Amino acid sequence: MGDEYEGEDVEVKLQRDSIDTFQEWPQLLDPTLEPLVTPIISAFVEYMENHSNSYHMTTSHTEGNVEPLPRAICKILHILCKVRGPKVLARFFSNEPALLEPMLDAFELWDGNTTEGQIAGKKENLTWEEKYVMLLWLSHLALTPFDLASISTSEVQTNLPLPDMFVSPRELPNASHRLLALGLRYLSSASKESEAAVLLLVRLSLRPDMQKLSLHRHCMDWALCSLVNGEGSTIFFCNGILSYLSGFFRSGDGHIVAPFIVSALQCMQELNGSTAAMDILGSAVARKLIVKIHRHLAVHLLSGSSSTDPDLLNSIFDHLLTSLRDKDNPVRFAASKALSAVAQKLDPDMTIQLVDDIVQDLQENNSLEQLESSDTKFFLLETSTQRNLSTVDPLHWHGLILTLSHLLYRHSAPEGRLSIIIYFLVSALDFEQRSPMGTTIGTGVRDAACFGIWSLARKYSTKELLQVSSSDIRAGVNCTHASVIEALARELVLTATLDPEGNVRRGASAALQELVGRHPDRVPNGIRLIQIVDYQAVGLRSRAMANVTIQAAALGQIYLHVLSTGLLSWRAISSPTTAIRHNSASVIGHVVQHHGPNPTFLSLFRIFEAIDPGTKRTAEEWHGLYLALAALIREDCIKLSSLLQCIPSPQGDLILLKEHGIFRIQDITAFGKGSELAIEALCSVIAAVSIKSRPMYLIEQVGYHLEVLEVCIRRCTGPSLELVMSAAVSLVNKVDQQARQGLIRAWLTDIQEGRSGQLRSGGSNINMITVIGAVLTDHLGHPFPQDLSALQVDVLVAELSKESRIGSKIAALSHRHPFLRERLERPFIDALQDYTIDSRGDIGSEVRLAAVDIIARINNSLRWDHRFHHEIFGIVCGLAVEKLDKVRECAWNCIRRYLDALSLEEQQVKVLRDIERMGSWSTYSVEYFVFIFKLAQRDHLVAPMLRGFVTSAGVGSEVLVRNSRIALLSCLTICSPNDGSTIHETLLHMIHAGLSNGRLFRPGLEVLSFLLDVGPVLQHQPSLSHWQALLRGLAQVHASTDLPTLQAVIALYSGLLNNHDLHKAAISKLYLLLCHRYPSIRLAAATALWVADRNDKLKALDLSLPSRILRPDVQTAFGYSQGATYYNIIKGGQFLFKIRDLHELYGPIIRIGPNEIHINDPEFYDKIYSLQGRWNKDPAFVNQFDNTDSAFGTIPHELHRIRRRAFNSFFSKQKIISLEPMIQFIVDKLCKRLESYSGTGKEVPIRHAYECMTNDIIMEFALGKGDKNIEHPDFNPELHETIKLLGVSGHYMKLVPGIELILPVIPPWIITGLVPAMKPIVALQKVVS
């Protein structure tokens, strides 16, 4: 055996998983336990003896899932303990005394409890599985019959200290001390090893040699003292001590435990009365252990091992009976078992007293009630009694019934009290309560009752049971049978078939099998009964209610009667579950059909007759009753003549009157939240009566039924609408054609005038239209007057025009044939193209499906030479290749019906025949898409087909995208250049139009990008104008926040980089996206640019930075956006137009430089140029004029304000008006000059003329002397060049600060010689000087 386990941990896990499967039937492992466990036990011992020191070396150097051999073995042994139990597995542990100290040495070494272990075990110590198995093995070795002093030879000292309060006996052997230290250490563990530690301590302290050293006294004193004074102790520590006390009193002999009984009881009483012990008592495990301690103490007191103190016994019984009320199941289970175990030790009189106390508790808060046939829970032919258990505590009842069941299981129940015990067990079988949330809280009581009856059948003989009279156990049923065994069998059949909980049904089935098997020939058809009510058959509730109930009812009247009663109880018809009520009604009808009218079911009508109109029933009860009534009517169990009796409803709102037919609803709101259930129930009865009645019966009474039906139509919702439609069709079928037309006309008029929406806003219109559609569909062959058809069309047009009402459209589309009429053509086409989307998704698909379904159903009326029908076919072709599977399938099924009407080419017919020979084929396939493409290769079909196709090829599922794109490439490869260009131009137009309709925009971009990548698009190149128009439109998408759309745009730009004509435009668009707000978009744009031209400047950009920080770096790095300098100098004054483009891309406020922003928003003008504004001038702009002493050249806001104030009088309104004659004089001179050109045929340099006029006005105003440029023969063209030069020079001065300081020192003749256009400026400077 090697030093380490060479297998992987996954193999151990597989072993554990394979053993786990035996948990339900652990006994199946017994034949294989010995050959499985013995070798691994031997391997563990060999490793422990020969390789113990290698344990930590293994854990420190193992790689992957390799682990030490002891750990792998302990994991397998632990799972065997979990499945088969530690007692069974302990038999295979080696019990050689010589293994005790090696096991202790290994445990302490591997867990780091020795000096060597602490040094070696820094990496990893024992796992909890190892500790559990090794402690369990040590507890087994502690049973050795030899004194531990005789086998304690080791001098190894443990580093485990004993607890502070623990006083160790003198002369305690070393091995005992080590075992004691280990047990005490792991007693308070939160893991499973605490169980093995408790077992080790109990066995160690009860050893004879340890008793001589009084170890048990020391342990008990420490345990009781720790409980009383255990403030600050953890709950796990307290649970460990309680477990030890329980084990000590359970395993110890009477004379050993007797000295500690009184002190232990006092300790338990102190715990119960101490506020400091609330944390302990808050644990269900602790309370369960306290119950066990009381049980063992009571057994010792009653065994005569010590003097029996009645007060002690009374306190024990009080605690156990009180624990039956505990909120936790484990505590109640422990208390019930404890009472039954103690009862075996009691005298018969005391046992009777115990049972009487339990019965008295069962009778609290409940009383016997007389049940008439009108009771809400039972529908019987005779009077019976039943306990009202609605106010009892279900948890207390569970504990009490469980105690009675355990008394029966131990055969401890007194014979004189057997009848009352059976009585309450049968009562508990019918126990049911509901929490305020509607969940059941009576399951445990019924399950305990099944266990009690199973114990009764198993532990008591037939003779004992026959001594109990069935009349003594009446519990709400009519038990008039010969024996109690037959009565119990009836109740178990009822519970096993109809109980709502699977565990209860199976428990009842097991009890029934035990009853029939152990008491033969006492249950009618017993063998056949247990074959039907099988443990497995009743596991599924629907199967138990339907199949098992029907088969059991066929075995005899006694079972039929009890099952009939159960079907009308809370288990079935009155169940809170709607599906169960439906199943119950169906079973009732089936039972009646096969076994004839049953008095129990027929008594339903006497219930209606006798019920007080003021009696309140829940909506669920009424729902179940009327479902049962409908089932009985459908099965002809009840003739319609029997319905002519008065049957009032809960509040008198639902009345069945002889003169009015069946129902008339005054106010269905009486049902409250259950109105939907009432609608379903009433319509079920109406439909059943309508089907089973003769036409003449309802002609005079149809108005009353319609009143009920119309209210149901207004108030129903989706789930019950189908039933309402069925009732409406059945009812309308019973009247003649004239009455039917009048009824439909009245309904349509109500919809048109808005009267049908009075009770349920909006919803009733939809319901009424849907019902009318169902009625008309059922009478398609019947002619209707022209005015009625026109009214129908008016209503449908109005409903289809409601954009936000999907339900209205679907309801309108339930009317089929009217859509061939001209007025409905456009609304119908809109319905075929309804793509309404909300939070639920593509809800418009339901409208499209309904419209396609109409086309499929009216195929014989379509003519494909008709314009409208051709348009429909194109849309259907698009739907046949869209991304939604259900729409694609429906559209394809529609197309297949019309292929014979199309003039298909021979190749298309061949493809279609090949497809049909394939049988059922998928609309995902490439062949399918190719066929639809070829089918749609007509000018009027390409556009609608592509509108659907791009959704599949662009944003569909992975398989759908792949196959549809392959089909597209196949078609483009073989089609003519003209057809290819048509497809691409249609696609471009669709994308451009999709800028305002995003549904097709992104899918179209995805498809177009794909085509650019693969290349065939270049063979069918659309015109350049189409591309340019698309690129201009895409600029507005750059500001979008839709990441998938932006990524599709970048993919399109990347594809256009290979196009010579569009390369430059695509590059510029990608550069713009380098400054996008989203890093992922910036990264995608940079990637596309890098692939295109490998620009190293991209590497220097940190694309993770915010766009506002990144933008200057991008502007510096790339020539496309070098700011004002680049566009004004290199591009010749184009910066203004670049700013316009940037505003279109980024909005009204943009940054055009590190310290400059540009605003293109008129509303911002008053905010910038306001009296409150404080803005300093830009030095870079002002310094170019080299005149900082002037008001114009003043930079600080406050100083400029002072200097500017001196000019205010020159720009006042009065001063400006005084200049009007001078301005008018110059304007008149310009007009005369312009008139002189009239008739000459000469060109007027109008731009120069205006410049001259402006210059003359300014000079006259500023200097009092104008240059008279207007009088110049050619309007002084040198002035134009001078003004143009001034604008350009400003850009250079901003680029190179300091030029304005150099220019004044250069002689004027040099300046005018180099730049003649500067002569007017030089002359002006002389004048100013």
Side-chain angles (χ1 to χ4, degrees), residues 82-300:
K82 184 176 73 172
V83 174
R84 195 60 188 95
K87 292 182 179 179
V88 175
L89 194 67
R91 299 200 308 261
F92 300 99
F93 287 151
S94 176
N95 56 3
E96 297 180 10
L99 289 178
L100 177 61
E101 288 205 333
M103 180 73 71
L104 283 170
D105 294 340
F107 193 108
E108 294 174 352
L109 175 65
W110 296 347
D111 202 33
N113 296 329
T114 63
T115 304
E116 294 83 357
Q118 291 175 353
I119 296 174
K122 291 182 179 179
K123 296 293 183 179
E124 185 177 1
N125 293 329
L126 293 174
T127 63
W128 67 270
E129 291 105 334
E130 293 174 281
K131 295 174 185 177
Y132 171 73
V133 172
M134 293 181 74
L135 286 172
L136 192 65
W137 200 334
L138 285 172
S139 68
H140 185 64
L141 291 173
L143 296 175
T144 179
F146 305 104
D147 288 349
L148 293 180
S150 64
I151 59 176
S152 179
T153 59
S154 176
E155 296 299 330
V156 176
Q157 298 296 323
T158 180
N159 288 333
L160 289 177
L162 296 176
D164 294 337
M165 297 176 59
F166 191 91
V167 180
S168 177
R170 296 181 180 180
E171 301 179 358
L172 190 66
N174 185 45
S176 303
H177 180 82
R178 296 168 68 186
L179 288 172
L180 180 64
L182 280 177
L184 291 175
R185 175 179 179 177
Y186 293 107
L187 185 69
S188 59
S189 174
S191 303
K192 195 175 177 63
E193 61 262 29
S194 62
E195 299 178 11
V198 168
L199 186 60
L200 173 61
L201 284 176
V202 170
R203 290 180 176 178
L204 179 65
S205 60
L206 291 179
R207 285 181 54 86
D209 54 341
M210 295 298 104
Q211 292 178 28
K212 294 178 182 179
L213 297 175
S214 300
L215 178 62
H216 64 294
R217 294 183 179 275
H218 289 272
C219 289
M220 285 298 297
D221 292 342
W222 169 79
L224 295 175
C225 184
S226 298
L227 277 180
V228 175
N229 304 320
E231 296 183 4
S233 301
T234 65
I235 186 62
F236 303 109
F237 175 75
C238 296
N239 287 345
I241 293 179
L242 290 172
S243 298
Y244 171 74
L245 292 176
S246 175
F248 180 82
F249 287 117
R250 180 187 68 248
S251 303
D253 294 334
H255 68 280
I256 297 175
V257 304
F260 307 104
I261 292 178
V262 175
S263 57
L265 276 176
Q266 290 175 350
C267 179
M268 297 300 108
Q269 290 173 358
E270 289 182 17
L271 283 179
N272 290 327
S274 172
T275 56
M278 293 303 295
D279 291 339
I280 300 176
L281 298 178
S283 169
V285 176
R287 298 198 305 275
K288 174 184 174 182
L289 290 171
I290 292 173
V291 167
K292 287 187 174 182
I293 292 172
H294 280 83
R295 167 186 173 176
H296 301 317
L297 292 177
V299 170
H300 282 296

Side-chain angles (χ1 to χ4, degrees), residues 906-1204:
E906 182 178 352
Q907 183 64 25
Q908 290 176 317
V909 173
K910 182 177 182 300
V911 171
L912 179 62
R913 296 294 175 258
D914 292 341
I915 289 173
E916 290 178 345
R917 279 198 296 271
M918 291 169 61
S920 177
W921 62 293
S922 172
T923 55
Y924 279 89
S925 65
V926 176
E927 295 81 8
Y928 170 77
F929 281 99
V930 170
F931 179 79
I932 298 296
F933 250 100
K934 293 179 179 179
L935 191 66
Q937 282 181 356
R938 297 170 173 83
D939 291 340
H940 68 283
L941 298 180
V942 171
M945 184 274 296
L946 282 178
R947 282 196 291 270
F949 175 81
V950 294
T951 60
S952 292
V955 292
S957 63
E958 183 179 353
V959 176
L960 194 62
V961 168
R962 182 180 65 247
N963 291 346
S964 58
R965 290 182 178 183
I966 293 173
L968 176 61
L969 289 178
S970 301
C971 294
L972 287 176
T973 303
I974 63 176
C975 72
S976 64
N978 186 39
D979 290 342
S981 297
T982 300
I983 291 175
H984 288 95
E985 289 177 3
T986 304
L987 190 59
L988 284 174
H989 177 73
M990 182 193 311
I991 297 172
H992 192 269
L995 290 171
S996 58
N997 176 17
R999 186 181 68 84
L1000 298 176
F1001 179 65
R1002 182 193 156 204
L1005 286 176
E1006 297 280 2
V1007 174
L1008 194 55
S1009 302
F1010 164 73
L1011 293 176
L1012 288 171
D1013 286 340
V1014 296
V1017 68
L1018 302 177
Q1019 302 174 12
H1020 314 291
Q1021 181 67 53
S1023 64
L1024 191 60
S1025 61
H1026 287 84
W1027 284 111
Q1028 291 173 341
L1030 176 62
L1031 290 177
R1032 285 194 297 271
L1034 288 178
Q1036 61 183 298
V1037 184
H1038 290 188
S1040 171
T1041 58
D1042 185 5
L1043 288 178
T1045 299
L1046 290 170
Q1047 290 168 348
V1049 170
I1050 292 175
L1052 179 64
Y1053 291 157
S1054 301
L1056 291 176
L1057 294 176
N1058 298 322
N1059 189 310
H1060 180 268
D1061 296 329
L1062 300 170
H1063 176 86
K1064 186 176 180 181
I1067 284 287
S1068 65
K1069 299 290 185 182
L1070 287 171
Y1071 277 135
L1072 288 175
L1073 290 171
L1074 283 176
C1075 298
H1076 198 275
R1077 70 182 73 176
Y1078 293 138
S1080 60
I1081 300 303
R1082 300 199 293 267
L1083 180 61
T1087 303
L1089 287 169
W1090 174 260
V1091 172
D1093 56 9
R1094 301 284 178 175
N1095 193 332
D1096 290 335
K1097 294 180 180 179
L1098 289 167
K1099 297 180 180 179
L1101 296 177
D1102 185 358
L1103 298 175
S1104 64
L1105 295 174
S1107 59
R1108 59 183 177 82
I1109 299 176
L1110 181 65
R1111 187 175 289 109
D1113 296 338
V1114 174
Q1115 292 174 350
T1116 303
F1118 301 102
Y1120 88 99
S1121 179
Q1122 290 288 349
T1125 301
Y1126 174 80
Y1127 282 97
N1128 286 330
I1129 296 177
I1130 307 300
K1131 291 291 187 178
Q1134 296 297 308
F1135 189 53
L1136 178 64
F1137 305 103
K1138 182 61 182 179
I1139 290 175
R1140 179 196 61 190
D1141 295 340
L1142 292 175
H1143 276 300
E1144 292 179 356
L1145 178 61
Y1146 295 110
I1149 302 177
I1150 61 174
R1151 180 176 293 279
I1152 61 175
N1155 59 346
E1156 292 182 85
I1157 62 171
H1158 196 277
I1159 301 172
N1160 183 24
D1161 188 353
E1163 296 181 0
F1164 233 83
Y1165 185 87
D1166 293 334
K1167 296 181 181 180
I1168 297 295
Y1169 300 100
S1170 65
L1171 295 176
Q1172 291 77 22
R1174 305 177 62 85
W1175 312 102
N1176 294 334
K1177 292 187 178 182
D1178 182 12
F1181 173 78
V1182 172
N1183 290 339
Q1184 62 181 311
F1185 300 101
D1186 190 27
N1187 194 6
T1188 56
D1189 295 332
S1190 67
F1192 179 79
T1194 303
I1195 295 175
H1197 172 80
E1198 295 298 335
L1199 182 58
H1200 174 268
R1201 188 173 185 180
I1202 295 172
R1203 292 177 175 177
R1204 175 65 176 78

Side-chain angles (χ1 to χ4, degrees), residues 644-777:
L644 304 180
Q645 303 177 29
C646 179
I647 302 181
S649 77
Q651 283 83 17
D653 300 320
L654 184 64
I655 306 174
L656 176 61
L657 298 175
K658 179 177 181 180
E659 62 271 24
H660 285 165
I662 303 180
F663 298 109
R664 184 167 62 114
I665 296 185
Q666 307 296 343
D667 183 11
I668 201 171
T669 59
F671 288 95
K673 295 181 179 180
S675 60
E676 198 69 28
L677 300 177
I679 290 170
E680 182 182 4
L682 296 177
C683 290
S684 298
V685 177
I686 291 176
V689 173
S690 301
I691 293 172
K692 291 299 179 180
S693 62
R694 294 177 300 172
M696 291 301 294
Y697 177 76
L698 289 175
I699 289 176
E700 297 177 356
Q701 301 164 345
V702 69
Y704 303 106
H705 300 84
L706 289 176
E707 184 179 354
V708 177
L709 191 62
E710 287 175 1
V711 176
C712 293
I713 292 172
R714 292 175 186 141
R715 292 197 161 272
C716 70
T717 56
S720 58
L721 185 57
E722 289 291 333
L723 189 57
V724 173
M725 288 192 297
S726 174
V729 171
S730 300
L731 189 60
V732 173
N733 280 340
K734 295 301 180 179
V735 300
D736 58 16
Q737 184 175 349
Q738 183 177 0
R740 186 182 307 125
Q741 293 176 1
L743 174 62
I744 295 174
R745 181 179 287 105
W747 283 348
L748 289 172
T749 303
D750 285 346
I751 295 173
Q752 193 176 43
E753 297 178 358
R755 291 195 297 269
S756 63
Q758 293 173 358
L759 292 181
R760 184 186 292 268
S761 178
S764 56
N765 263 7
I766 298 174
N767 296 341
M768 188 65 77
I769 294 170
T770 305
V771 170
I772 294 173
V775 172
L776 293 176
T777 301

Side-chain angles (χ1 to χ4, degrees), residues 284-345:
V285 176
R287 298 198 305 275
K288 174 184 174 182
L289 290 171
I290 292 173
V291 167
K292 287 187 174 182
I293 292 172
H294 280 83
R295 167 186 173 176
H296 301 317
L297 292 177
V299 170
H300 282 296
L301 287 173
L302 293 172
S303 298
S305 57
S306 62
S307 58
T308 303
D309 187 348
D311 293 336
L312 294 179
L313 282 177
N314 288 335
S315 66
I316 291 175
F317 277 107
D318 287 343
H319 180 82
L320 294 179
L321 289 172
T322 303
S323 298
L324 294 177
R325 301 174 181 266
D326 197 275
K327 64 178 181 178
D328 291 305
N329 284 340
V331 182
R332 296 195 301 275
F333 275 107
S336 61
K337 289 182 179 179
L339 285 170
S340 63
V342 172
Q344 288 184 306
K345 302 290 185 178

Side-chain angles (χ1 to χ4, degrees), residues 1197-1325:
H1197 172 80
E1198 295 298 335
L1199 182 58
H1200 174 268
R1201 188 173 185 180
I1202 295 172
R1203 292 177 175 177
R1204 175 65 176 78
R1205 191 179 299 126
F1207 296 95
N1208 287 345
S1209 59
F1210 293 97
F1211 295 98
S1212 65
K1213 185 176 182 181
Q1214 183 178 1
K1215 185 64 176 178
I1216 297 300
I1217 293 175
S1218 68
L1219 296 175
E1220 185 175 348
M1222 181 267 290
I1223 297 173
Q1224 187 63 49
F1225 175 75
I1226 297 175
V1227 171
D1228 291 342
K1229 290 174 66 175
L1230 175 63
C1231 292
K1232 290 179 181 179
R1233 286 296 314 275
L1234 294 177
E1235 289 176 357
S1236 66
Y1237 278 85
S1238 176
T1240 62
K1242 293 182 179 180
E1243 240 181 50
V1244 180
I1246 192 67
R1247 182 173 182 176
H1248 296 177
Y1250 283 132
E1251 288 175 347
C1252 291
M1253 182 193 70
T1254 305
N1255 180 268
D1256 287 351
I1257 292 174
I1258 293 174
M1259 295 297 290
E1260 187 70 32
F1261 173 70
L1263 301 178
K1265 178 183 176 182
D1267 291 338
K1268 298 181 181 180
N1269 290 309
I1270 291 180
E1271 298 176 3
H1272 194 282
D1274 296 327
F1275 290 108
N1276 196 4
E1278 291 183 358
L1279 179 63
H1280 170 72
E1281 295 299 326
T1282 300
I1283 294 174
K1284 182 178 179 181
L1285 179 61
L1286 286 174
V1288 175
S1289 64
H1291 301 320
Y1292 285 97
M1293 289 181 180
K1294 290 183 67 176
L1295 177 64
V1296 186
I1299 293 181
E1300 71 277 2
L1301 302 176
I1302 299 174
L1303 288 177
V1305 300
I1306 299 176
W1309 61 271
I1310 295 178
I1311 294 177
T1312 55
L1314 294 175
V1315 186
M1318 291 293 291
K1319 291 180 180 181
I1321 302 299
V1322 173
L1324 179 62
Q1325 285 182 337

